[in-house]
Coordinates of all heavy atoms in Angstrom, one line a residue:
D29 N 37.5 14.2 -27.8 CA 37.1 15.5 -27.2 C 37.8 15.7 -25.8 O 37.7 14.8 -25.0 CB 35.6 15.5 -27.0 CG 34.8 15.6 -28.3 OD1 35.2 16.4 -29.2 OD2 33.8 14.8 -28.5
I30 N 38.4 16.8 -25.7 CA 39.1 17.2 -24.4 C 38.4 18.4 -23.9 O 38.3 19.5 -24.6 CB 40.6 17.4 -24.7 CG1 41.2 16.2 -25.3 CG2 41.3 17.9 -23.4 CD1 42.6 16.3 -25.8
M31 N 37.9 18.3 -22.6 CA 37.2 19.4 -22.0 C 37.8 19.8 -20.7 O 38.3 18.9 -20.0 CB 35.7 19.0 -21.9 CG 35.0 18.8 -23.2 SD 34.8 20.3 -24.2 CE 33.8 21.3 -23.2
P32 N 37.6 21.0 -20.3 CA 38.1 21.4 -18.9 C 37.2 20.7 -17.9 O 36.0 20.4 -18.2 CB 37.8 22.9 -18.8 CG 37.1 23.3 -20.0 CD 37.1 22.2 -21.0
L33 N 37.7 20.3 -16.7 CA 36.9 19.7 -15.7 C 35.8 20.6 -15.3 O 35.9 21.8 -15.2 CB 37.8 19.4 -14.5 CG 39.0 18.4 -14.7 CD1 39.8 18.3 -13.5 CD2 38.4 17.0 -15.1
K34 N 34.7 20.0 -15.0 CA 33.5 20.8 -14.6 C 33.7 21.6 -13.4 O 33.1 22.7 -13.2 CB 32.3 19.8 -14.4 CG 31.8 19.2 -15.7 CD 30.6 18.3 -15.5 CE 30.3 17.7 -16.8 NZ 29.2 16.7 -16.8
E35 N 34.6 21.2 -12.5 CA 34.9 21.9 -11.2 C 35.7 23.2 -11.5 O 35.7 24.0 -10.6 CB 35.6 21.0 -10.3 CG 34.9 19.8 -9.8 CD 35.1 18.6 -10.9 OE1 36.0 18.7 -11.7 OE2 34.3 17.7 -10.8
L36 N 36.3 23.3 -12.7 CA 37.1 24.5 -12.9 C 36.4 25.6 -13.7 O 35.6 25.3 -14.6 CB 38.4 24.0 -13.7 CG 39.3 23.0 -13.0 CD1 40.4 22.6 -13.9 CD2 39.8 23.6 -11.7
L37 N 36.8 26.8 -13.5 CA 36.3 27.9 -14.2 C 36.7 27.8 -15.6 O 37.9 27.5 -15.9 CB 36.8 29.2 -13.6 CG 36.4 30.5 -14.2 CD1 34.8 30.7 -14.2 CD2 37.1 31.7 -13.6
D38 N 35.9 28.1 -16.6 CA 36.2 28.2 -18.0 C 36.1 29.6 -18.5 O 35.0 30.1 -18.9 CB 35.3 27.2 -18.8 CG 35.6 27.2 -20.3 OD1 36.5 27.9 -20.7 OD2 34.9 26.5 -21.0
P39 N 37.2 30.4 -18.4 CA 37.1 31.8 -18.8 C 36.6 32.0 -20.2 O 35.9 33.0 -20.5 CB 38.5 32.4 -18.6 CG 39.3 31.3 -18.0 CD 38.5 30.0 -18.0
Q40 N 37.1 31.2 -21.2 CA 36.6 31.3 -22.6 C 35.1 31.1 -22.7 O 34.4 31.9 -23.4 CB 37.3 30.3 -23.5 CG 38.8 30.6 -23.7 CD 39.4 29.6 -24.6 OE1 39.4 28.4 -24.3 NE2 40.0 30.1 -25.7
G41 N 34.6 30.1 -22.0 CA 33.2 29.9 -22.0 C 32.4 31.1 -21.4 O 31.3 31.5 -21.9
K42 N 32.9 31.6 -20.3 CA 32.2 32.8 -19.7 C 32.2 34.0 -20.6 O 31.3 34.7 -20.7 CB 32.9 33.1 -18.4 CG 32.8 32.1 -17.3 CD 31.4 31.8 -16.9 CE 31.3 30.8 -15.8 NZ 30.0 30.1 -15.7
A43 N 33.3 34.2 -21.4 CA 33.4 35.3 -22.3 C 32.4 35.1 -23.4 O 31.7 36.0 -23.9 CB 34.8 35.4 -22.9
V44 N 32.2 33.9 -23.9 CA 31.2 33.6 -24.9 C 29.8 33.8 -24.4 O 29.0 34.4 -25.1 CB 31.4 32.1 -25.5 CG1 30.2 31.7 -26.4 CG2 32.7 32.0 -26.2
I45 N 29.5 33.4 -23.2 CA 28.2 33.6 -22.6 C 27.9 35.1 -22.5 O 26.8 35.6 -22.9 CB 28.1 33.0 -21.2 CG1 28.0 31.5 -21.3 CG2 26.9 33.6 -20.4 CD1 26.6 31.0 -21.8
S46 N 28.9 35.9 -22.1 CA 28.8 37.3 -22.0 C 28.5 37.9 -23.4 O 27.6 38.8 -23.6 CB 30.0 38.0 -21.4 OG 29.9 39.4 -21.4
G47 N 29.2 37.5 -24.4 CA 28.9 38.0 -25.8 C 27.6 37.6 -26.3 O 26.9 38.4 -26.9
L48 N 27.1 36.4 -26.0 CA 25.8 36.0 -26.4 C 24.7 36.8 -25.7 O 23.7 37.3 -26.4 CB 25.5 34.5 -26.1 CG 26.4 33.5 -26.9 CD1 26.3 32.1 -26.3 CD2 25.9 33.5 -28.3
K49 N 24.9 37.1 -24.5 CA 23.9 38.0 -23.8 C 23.9 39.4 -24.4 O 22.8 40.0 -24.5 CB 24.2 38.0 -22.3 CG 23.9 36.7 -21.6 CD 24.0 36.7 -20.1 CE 23.7 35.3 -19.7 NZ 23.5 35.1 -18.3
N50 N 25.1 39.9 -24.7 CA 25.1 41.2 -25.4 C 24.4 41.2 -26.7 O 23.9 42.2 -27.2 CB 26.6 41.6 -25.6 CG 27.3 42.0 -24.3 OD1 26.6 42.3 -23.3 ND2 28.6 42.0 -24.2
M51 N 24.3 40.0 -27.4 CA 23.6 39.9 -28.7 C 22.1 39.7 -28.5 O 21.4 39.6 -29.4 CB 24.2 38.7 -29.4 CG 25.7 38.9 -29.9 SD 26.4 37.4 -30.6 CE 25.3 37.1 -31.9
G52 N 21.7 39.5 -27.2 CA 20.3 39.3 -26.9 C 20.0 37.8 -26.9 O 18.8 37.5 -26.9
I53 N 21.0 37.0 -27.0 CA 20.7 35.5 -26.9 C 20.9 35.1 -25.5 O 22.0 34.8 -25.0 CB 21.7 34.7 -27.9 CG1 21.5 35.3 -29.3 CG2 21.4 33.2 -27.8 CD1 22.5 34.7 -30.2
T54 N 19.7 35.0 -24.8 CA 19.8 34.7 -23.3 C 19.4 33.2 -23.1 O 19.5 32.8 -21.9 CB 18.9 35.6 -22.5 OG1 17.5 35.5 -23.1 CG2 19.3 37.0 -22.7
E55 N 18.9 32.5 -24.1 CA 18.5 31.1 -23.9 C 19.7 30.2 -23.7 O 19.5 29.1 -23.1 CB 17.7 30.6 -25.1 CG 16.4 31.4 -25.4 CD 16.7 32.8 -26.2 OE1 17.8 33.0 -26.6 OE2 15.7 33.5 -26.3
I56 N 20.8 30.5 -24.1 CA 22.0 29.7 -23.9 C 22.6 30.1 -22.5 O 23.0 31.2 -22.4 CB 23.1 29.8 -25.0 CG1 22.5 29.4 -26.4 CG2 24.3 29.1 -24.7 CD1 23.4 29.6 -27.6
T57 N 22.6 29.2 -21.6 CA 23.0 29.5 -20.2 C 24.4 29.0 -19.8 O 24.9 29.5 -18.8 CB 21.9 28.9 -19.2 OG1 21.9 27.5 -19.4 CG2 20.6 29.5 -19.5
D58 N 25.0 28.2 -20.6 CA 26.3 27.7 -20.2 C 27.1 27.3 -21.5 O 26.5 26.7 -22.4 CB 26.3 26.5 -19.2 CG 27.6 26.2 -18.6 OD1 28.4 27.1 -18.4 OD2 27.9 25.0 -18.4
V59 N 28.4 27.6 -21.5 CA 29.2 27.3 -22.6 C 30.5 26.8 -22.0 O 31.1 27.4 -21.1 CB 29.5 28.4 -23.5 CG1 30.6 28.1 -24.6 CG2 28.2 28.9 -24.2
R60 N 31.0 25.6 -22.4 CA 32.3 25.1 -22.0 C 33.1 24.9 -23.3 O 32.6 24.4 -24.3 CB 32.2 23.8 -21.3 CG 31.3 23.7 -20.1 CD 31.9 24.3 -18.9 NE 33.0 23.6 -18.4 CZ 33.8 24.1 -17.4 NH1 33.5 25.2 -16.8 NH2 34.8 23.4 -16.9
I61 N 34.3 25.4 -23.4 CA 35.1 25.4 -24.6 C 36.3 24.4 -24.4 O 37.0 24.5 -23.4 CB 35.6 26.8 -25.0 CG1 34.4 27.6 -25.3 CG2 36.6 26.7 -26.1 CD1 34.8 29.1 -25.7
G62 N 36.4 23.5 -25.3 CA 37.5 22.5 -25.2 C 38.2 22.3 -26.6 O 38.2 23.2 -27.4
K63 N 38.7 21.1 -26.8 CA 39.4 20.8 -28.0 C 38.8 19.5 -28.6 O 38.4 18.6 -27.9 CB 40.9 20.5 -27.7 CG 41.7 21.7 -27.1 CD 43.1 21.3 -26.8 CE 43.2 20.6 -25.5 NZ 44.6 20.4 -25.0
H64 N 38.8 19.5 -29.9 CA 38.4 18.3 -30.7 C 39.6 17.9 -31.6 O 40.1 18.7 -32.3 CB 37.1 18.5 -31.5 CG 36.7 17.3 -32.2 ND1 36.0 16.3 -31.7 CD2 37.0 16.9 -33.5 CE1 35.8 15.4 -32.6 NE2 36.4 15.7 -33.7
L65 N 40.0 16.6 -31.5 CA 41.0 16.1 -32.4 C 40.5 14.9 -33.1 O 39.7 14.1 -32.6 CB 42.2 15.6 -31.5 CG 43.0 16.7 -30.7 CD1 42.4 16.8 -29.4 CD2 44.4 16.3 -30.6
S66 N 40.9 14.8 -34.4 CA 40.6 13.7 -35.2 C 42.0 13.0 -35.6 O 42.8 13.7 -36.1 CB 39.9 14.1 -36.5 OG 39.6 13.0 -37.3
V67 N 42.1 11.8 -35.2 CA 43.4 11.1 -35.4 C 43.2 9.8 -36.1 O 42.2 9.1 -36.0 CB 44.2 10.9 -34.1 CG1 44.5 12.2 -33.4 CG2 43.5 9.9 -33.2
E68 N 44.3 9.4 -36.8 CA 44.3 8.0 -37.4 C 45.4 7.3 -36.8 O 46.5 7.8 -36.5 CB 44.5 8.1 -38.9 CG 43.4 8.8 -39.7 CD 43.6 8.8 -41.2 OE1 44.6 8.3 -41.7 OE2 42.8 9.5 -41.8
I69 N 45.2 6.0 -36.5 CA 46.2 5.2 -35.8 C 46.2 3.8 -36.4 O 45.2 3.3 -36.8 CB 45.8 5.1 -34.3 CG1 46.9 4.3 -33.5 CG2 44.4 4.6 -34.0 CD1 46.7 4.5 -32.0
E70 N 47.4 3.2 -36.5 CA 47.5 1.9 -36.9 C 47.9 1.0 -35.7 O 48.8 1.4 -35.0 CB 48.6 1.8 -38.0 CG 48.2 2.4 -39.3 CD 49.0 1.9 -40.5 OE1 49.5 0.7 -40.5 OE2 49.2 2.7 -41.4
A71 N 47.2 -0.1 -35.6 CA 47.5 -1.0 -34.5 C 47.0 -2.4 -34.9 O 46.2 -2.6 -35.8 CB 46.7 -0.6 -33.2
K72 N 47.5 -3.4 -34.2 CA 47.1 -4.8 -34.5 C 45.6 -5.1 -34.2 O 45.0 -5.9 -34.9 CB 48.0 -5.8 -33.9 CG 47.9 -5.9 -32.4 CD 48.8 -6.9 -31.8 CE 48.6 -7.0 -30.3 NZ 49.4 -8.0 -29.6
D73 N 45.0 -4.4 -33.2 CA 43.6 -4.6 -32.9 C 43.1 -3.4 -32.2 O 43.8 -2.5 -31.8 CB 43.4 -5.9 -32.1 CG 44.2 -5.9 -30.8 OD1 44.5 -4.9 -30.2 OD2 44.7 -7.0 -30.4
E74 N 41.8 -3.4 -31.9 CA 41.2 -2.2 -31.3 C 41.7 -2.0 -29.9 O 41.9 -0.9 -29.4 CB 39.6 -2.4 -31.3 CG 38.9 -1.1 -30.8 CD 37.4 -1.2 -31.0 OE1 37.0 -1.8 -32.0 OE2 36.7 -0.6 -30.2
K75 N 41.9 -3.1 -29.1 CA 42.4 -3.0 -27.8 C 43.7 -2.3 -27.7 O 43.9 -1.4 -26.9 CB 42.5 -4.4 -27.2 CG 42.9 -4.4 -25.7 CD 43.0 -5.8 -25.2 CE 43.5 -5.8 -23.8 NZ 43.7 -7.1 -23.2
T76 N 44.6 -2.6 -28.6 CA 45.9 -2.0 -28.7 C 45.8 -0.5 -29.1 O 46.4 0.4 -28.5 CB 46.8 -2.7 -29.7 OG1 46.9 -4.1 -29.3 CG2 48.2 -2.1 -29.7
A77 N 44.9 -0.2 -30.0 CA 44.7 1.2 -30.5 C 44.2 2.0 -29.3 O 44.6 3.1 -29.1 CB 43.7 1.2 -31.6
K78 N 43.2 1.5 -28.5 CA 42.7 2.2 -27.4 C 43.8 2.5 -26.3 O 43.8 3.5 -25.8 CB 41.5 1.4 -26.8 CG 40.3 1.5 -27.6 CD 39.1 0.8 -26.9 CE 37.9 0.9 -27.7 NZ 36.7 0.2 -27.0
A79 N 44.6 1.5 -26.1 CA 45.7 1.7 -25.1 C 46.7 2.8 -25.6 O 47.1 3.6 -24.8 CB 46.5 0.3 -25.0
R80 N 47.0 2.8 -26.9 CA 47.9 3.9 -27.4 C 47.2 5.2 -27.3 O 47.8 6.2 -27.0 CB 48.3 3.5 -28.8 CG 49.0 2.2 -28.9 CD 50.2 2.0 -28.0 NE 51.3 2.9 -28.4 CZ 52.4 3.0 -27.7 NH1 52.5 2.5 -26.5 NH2 53.4 3.8 -28.1
L81 N 45.9 5.3 -27.6 CA 45.2 6.5 -27.5 C 45.1 7.0 -26.1 O 45.3 8.2 -25.8 CB 43.7 6.4 -28.1 CG 43.6 6.4 -29.6 CD1 42.2 5.9 -30.0 CD2 43.9 7.7 -30.2
D82 N 44.9 6.1 -25.1 CA 44.8 6.5 -23.7 C 46.2 7.1 -23.3 O 46.2 8.1 -22.6 CB 44.5 5.3 -22.8 CG 43.0 5.1 -22.8 OD1 42.2 6.1 -22.8 OD2 42.6 3.9 -22.7
K83 N 47.3 6.5 -23.7 CA 48.6 7.0 -23.4 C 48.8 8.3 -24.0 O 49.3 9.3 -23.3 CB 49.7 6.0 -23.9 CG 51.1 6.4 -23.5 CD 52.1 5.3 -23.9 CE 53.5 5.7 -23.7 NZ 53.9 6.0 -22.3
A84 N 48.5 8.5 -25.2 CA 48.6 9.8 -25.9 C 47.8 10.9 -25.2 O 48.3 12.0 -25.0 CB 48.3 9.7 -27.4
C85 N 46.6 10.6 -24.9 CA 45.7 11.6 -24.2 C 46.2 11.9 -22.8 O 46.3 13.1 -22.4 CB 44.3 11.0 -24.1 SG 43.4 11.0 -25.7
K86 N 46.6 10.9 -22.0 CA 47.1 11.2 -20.7 C 48.4 11.9 -20.6 O 48.6 12.7 -19.7 CB 47.2 9.8 -19.9 CG 45.8 9.2 -19.6 CD 46.0 7.9 -18.9 CE 44.7 7.2 -18.7 NZ 44.8 5.8 -18.2
E87 N 49.3 11.6 -21.5 CA 50.7 12.1 -21.4 C 51.0 13.3 -22.3 O 52.0 14.0 -22.1 CB 51.7 11.0 -21.7 CG 51.6 9.8 -20.7 CD 52.6 8.7 -20.9 OE1 53.5 8.9 -21.7 OE2 52.4 7.7 -20.3
L88 N 50.1 13.6 -23.3 CA 50.5 14.7 -24.2 C 49.3 15.5 -24.6 O 49.3 16.8 -24.5 CB 51.1 14.2 -25.5 CG 51.5 15.3 -26.5 CD1 52.6 16.2 -26.0 CD2 51.9 14.6 -27.8
L89 N 48.2 14.9 -25.0 CA 47.1 15.7 -25.6 C 46.2 16.4 -24.6 O 45.6 17.5 -24.9 CB 46.2 14.8 -26.4 CG 46.9 14.0 -27.6 CD1 46.0 13.1 -28.3 CD2 47.5 15.0 -28.5
S90 N 46.1 15.9 -23.3 CA 45.3 16.6 -22.3 C 46.2 16.8 -21.1 O 47.2 16.2 -20.9 CB 44.1 15.8 -22.0 OG 44.4 14.6 -21.2
N91 N 45.7 17.7 -20.2 CA 46.3 18.0 -18.9 C 45.4 17.3 -17.9 O 44.3 17.9 -17.6 CB 46.5 19.5 -18.7 CG 47.0 19.8 -17.3 OD1 47.1 18.9 -16.5 ND2 47.4 21.0 -17.2
P92 N 45.7 16.2 -17.4 CA 44.8 15.4 -16.5 C 44.4 16.2 -15.2 O 43.4 15.9 -14.6 CB 45.5 14.1 -16.2 CG 46.8 14.2 -16.8 CD 46.9 15.4 -17.6
I93 N 45.2 17.2 -14.8 CA 44.9 18.0 -13.7 C 43.7 18.9 -13.9 O 42.9 19.2 -13.1 CB 46.1 18.8 -13.2 CG1 47.2 17.8 -12.8 CG2 45.8 19.8 -12.1 CD1 48.5 18.5 -12.5
M94 N 43.6 19.4 -15.2 CA 42.6 20.4 -15.6 C 41.5 19.9 -16.6 O 40.5 20.6 -16.8 CB 43.3 21.6 -16.1 CG 44.2 22.3 -15.1 SD 45.2 23.6 -15.9 CE 43.8 24.7 -16.4
E95 N 41.8 18.8 -17.2 CA 40.9 18.4 -18.3 C 40.6 16.9 -18.2 O 41.4 16.1 -17.6 CB 41.6 18.6 -19.7 CG 42.0 20.1 -19.9 CD 42.9 20.2 -21.2 OE1 43.9 19.5 -21.3 OE2 42.6 21.2 -21.9
N96 N 39.5 16.5 -18.9 CA 39.2 15.1 -19.1 C 39.0 14.9 -20.6 O 38.9 15.8 -21.3 CB 38.0 14.6 -18.3 CG 36.7 15.3 -18.6 OD1 36.6 16.0 -19.6 ND2 35.8 15.3 -17.7
Y97 N 39.0 13.6 -21.0 CA 38.9 13.3 -22.4 C 38.0 12.1 -22.6 O 37.8 11.3 -21.7 CB 40.2 13.1 -23.0 CG 40.9 11.8 -22.6 CD1 40.7 10.6 -23.2 CD2 41.8 11.9 -21.5 CE1 41.4 9.5 -22.7 CE2 42.4 10.7 -21.0 CZ 42.2 9.5 -21.6 OH 42.8 8.4 -21.2
V98 N 37.4 12.1 -23.7 CA 36.6 10.9 -24.2 C 36.9 10.8 -25.7 O 37.2 11.7 -26.4 CB 35.1 11.1 -24.0 CG1 34.7 11.1 -22.5 CG2 34.5 12.3 -24.7

Side-chain angles (χ1 to χ4, degrees):
D29 289 316
I30 301 170
M31 296 295 293
L33 295 174
K34 291 181 182 175
E35 300 83 17
L36 298 178
L37 178 66
D38 181 1
Q40 288 179 305
K42 295 297 181 203
V44 169
I45 286 289
S46 178
L48 291 169
K49 287 185 183 194
N50 289 340
M51 294 172 56
I53 302 172
T54 58
E55 299 81 8
I56 298 174
T57 59
D58 191 33
V59 174
R60 306 283 294 171
I61 296 179
K63 301 178 273 191
H64 179 84
L65 296 90
S66 179
V67 300
E68 293 182 8
I69 182 169
E70 287 200 32
K72 67 179 180 176
D73 55 32
E74 187 172 328
K75 181 179 176 181
T76 304
K78 286 181 177 182
R80 301 309 284 171
L81 283 170
D82 279 325
K83 181 175 177 61
C85 288
K86 287 177 185 171
E87 296 182 16
L88 178 66
L89 301 177
S90 73
N91 178 348
I93 295 170
M94 300 175 58
E95 300 170 315
N96 61 17
Y97 66 90
V98 295

